[in-house]
Amino acid sequence: MKALILVGGFGTRLRPLTLSMPKPLVDFANKPMVLHQIEALKAVGVTEVILAINYQPQVMLSFLEEFEPKLGIKITCSQENEPLGTAGPLALAKEKLLEEPDKPFFVLNSDIICEYPLSEMLDFHKVHGGEASIMVTQVAEPSKYGVVIMDEESGQINKFVEKPPVFVGNKINAGIYLLNTSVLDHISLKPTSLERQVFPSIADKGQLYAMVHTGFWMDVGQPKDYLAGLGLYLDYVRSNSPSELAVGRNIIGNVLVDGTAKIGEGCLIGPDVVIGPGCMIESGVRLSSCTIMKGVRVKRSAHVSESIIGWHSTIGESAQVSSMAVLGEDVHVNDTMFLNGVMVLPHKEIKTHFLKPEIVM
Ligand code: GTP
């Protein structure tokens, strides 16, 4: 069985992290986002994952070289010359997908973190017998997503309403699909949207079904949702493999620490914190609801909360970083600085306080 992961797009909402790395390779809970998906696909018997890319091919190819042998699954790239949106990449990879014409294939958005109920989806697809299945999830604020209007009993989808200004329903497209290869007949090799063009036409034929996913789900493509998703993911780890989480007198709630990170005396860490490989957390540091990526140094008595600290950055002694601050790669915050909600582009040194949200260019 094959799968295609949409790993193109520009990841503008997750800047400045995506200025150093394509969004699917940005770490989430200490591994590239797309790795969570490839592992889940492998677990249900997918034998080849096609990564549909449209920029920075070199970075993606080095990822492949590193992870293909480690994971023991075939990973190939399908590269666009121009961004083909969410459907065009399927037409580009048509030949590969048609190597197994009688088997359905998965399509995933690269920024979705959930329990990946892919084996349930295979069963669901078989039972309804339609051409396409999409996973939907219920959210409190449907207005920023594509809402699906469906028959609650059969799951058959009647229509899609993209970002509805008034309430029409709260089940949204969760960005995970299982499609028969016949769907490829409806997609041409040009920039096209699955959600806006292809799915509505399959729904018109009564061939599109929605499987409601009730477990945790988050599109982690922007900082606020990334951190919210991290909290949900760590709760899931707590329920399913608690031994992965850190324990100790200085740990509060769910905390994931890479084995190569060092944590000094008198720190207080958690809840909902991830500390990456090679990080150095000095004494008396306070961390809560944040991700500290690979190679970061947090100096003595610094505080970081509700923020994402990009690779190889430094937080100065007694500095405070809070309120959805996102620091790009290799940012150096001087001692005693206060940063509130600020976005800092890569390779900068911060010598001034930023007390309200700003972008440091
Ligand atoms: P933003 O710029 O922050 O909106 O992010 P994005 O460009 O990733 O867009 P969005 O989150 O809407 O994309 C949904 C999924 O489609 C993600 O997995 C993207 O990686 C992927 N995607 C978006 N546009 C393209 C494209 O032109 N080509 C390919 N191959 N994938 C795409």
Side-chain angles (χ1 to χ4, degrees):
M1 198 173 26
K2 294 183 192 279
L4 180 141
I5 309 183
L6 291 159
V7 295
F10 294 101
T12 42
R13 293 165 301 152
L14 206 54
R15 284 180 186 163
L17 300 168
T18 45
L19 294 175
S20 302
M21 190 150 308
K23 180 168 66 175
L25 299 187
V26 169
D27 298 299
F28 181 87
N30 282 348
K31 57 180 156 185
M33 278 181 201
V34 72
L35 209 53
H36 292 265
Q37 306 183 323
I38 297 177
E39 286 175 355
L41 289 164
K42 189 185 171 199
V44 292
V46 168
T47 48
E48 179 175 359
V49 174
I50 303 158
L51 299 179
I53 57 177
N54 74 316
Y55 84 125
Q56 292 189 315
Q58 215 39 55
V59 203
M60 205 52 90
L61 289 172
S62 359
F63 165 82
L64 290 193
E65 265 168 39
E66 184 184 346
F67 285 99
E68 203 183 19
K70 274 191 199 163
L71 292 170
I73 181 171
K74 189 170 172 195
I75 310 176
T76 50
C77 268
S78 168
Q79 196 193 334
E80 295 142 51
N81 293 327
E82 57 163 339
L84 291 176
T86 49
L90 275 65
L92 189 65
K94 189 170 178 173
E95 211 171 293
K96 238 176 217 313
L97 294 167
L98 284 176
E99 284 169 8
E100 293 178 349
D102 301 326
K103 290 189 185 163
F105 60 93
F106 283 104
V107 175
L108 277 78
N109 281 358
S110 61
D111 46 11
I112 302 302
I113 292 290
C114 67
E115 291 161 54
Y116 306 111
L118 304 180
S119 123
E120 278 168 67
M121 208 162 171
L122 284 165
D123 295 341
F124 174 77
H125 192 73
K126 215 178 269 173
V127 170
H128 70 64
E131 207 174 11
S133 303
I134 76 170
M135 194 175 106
V136 297
T137 186
Q138 208 160 298
V139 291
E141 275 179 55
S143 60
K144 59 177 181 171
Y145 301 100
V147 173
V148 169
I149 313 292
M150 60 191 267
D151 179 278
E152 295 292 331
E153 226 155 77
S154 65
Q156 196 175 47
I157 296 179
N158 302 321
K159 63 173 180 168
F160 280 83
V161 188
E162 199 53 39
K163 300 189 176 59
V166 291
F167 185 88
V168 290
N170 59 1
K171 296 210 177 58
I172 61 151
N173 172 5
I176 297 184
Y177 321 119
L178 185 61
L179 313 177
N180 286 353
T181 48
S182 57
V183 166
L184 296 167
D185 299 340
H186 315 296
I187 307 175
S188 5
L189 187 55
K190 60 178 189 200
T192 325
S193 159
L194 270 177
E195 307 83 333
R196 292 190 181 85
Q197 290 152 284
V198 179
F199 288 154
S201 80
I202 306 176
D204 285 348
K205 295 190 296 171
Q207 289 293 309
L208 185 63
Y209 288 80
M211 182 186 92
V212 182
H213 173 52
T214 49
F216 88 91
W217 176 92
M218 193 56 83
D219 169 346
V220 297
Q222 55 184 314
K224 190 165 169 273
D225 295 341
Y226 177 104
L227 288 176
L230 198 63
L232 297 174
Y233 175 82
L234 292 176
D235 271 344
Y236 175 73
V237 176
R238 166 74 63 202
S239 311
N240 290 278
S241 42
S243 59
E244 285 179 34
L245 298 176
V247 282
R249 276 194 312 130
N250 58 342
I251 302 290
I252 307 172
N254 299 330
V255 174
L256 189 67
V257 183
D258 184 86
T260 58
K262 296 218 169 10
I263 298 179
E265 291 295 309
C267 293
L268 199 54
I269 297 180
D272 299 333
V273 170
V274 171
I275 301 177
C279 287
M280 176 76 80
I281 312 296
E282 295 185 1
S283 59
V285 163
R286 174 78 181 103
L287 304 177
S288 64
S289 187
C290 63
T291 282
I292 309 290
M293 290 188 179
K294 182 178 174 173
V296 167
R297 180 172 177 198
V298 184
K299 293 192 185 170
R300 281 199 306 165
S301 305
H303 284 208
V304 181
S305 62
E306 287 180 86
S307 295
I308 305 174
I309 311 299
W311 313 271
H312 307 290
S313 294
T314 312
I315 308 298
E317 193 172 317
S318 300
Q320 296 204 17
V321 180
S322 63
S323 310
M324 223 48 76
V326 185
L327 310 191
E329 180 184 18
D330 184 38
V331 166
H332 300 278
V333 177
N334 284 7
D335 293 350
T336 69
M337 290 297 113
F338 274 59
L339 306 188
N340 231 336
V342 67
M343 298 242 168
V344 187
L345 268 58
H347 315 297
K348 300 282 171 215
E349 185 182 355
I350 303 291
K351 303 176 185 166
T352 326
H353 297 299
F354 288 92
L355 300 175
K356 51 182 197 326
E358 255 171 273
I359 299 178
V360 180
M361 316 277 279

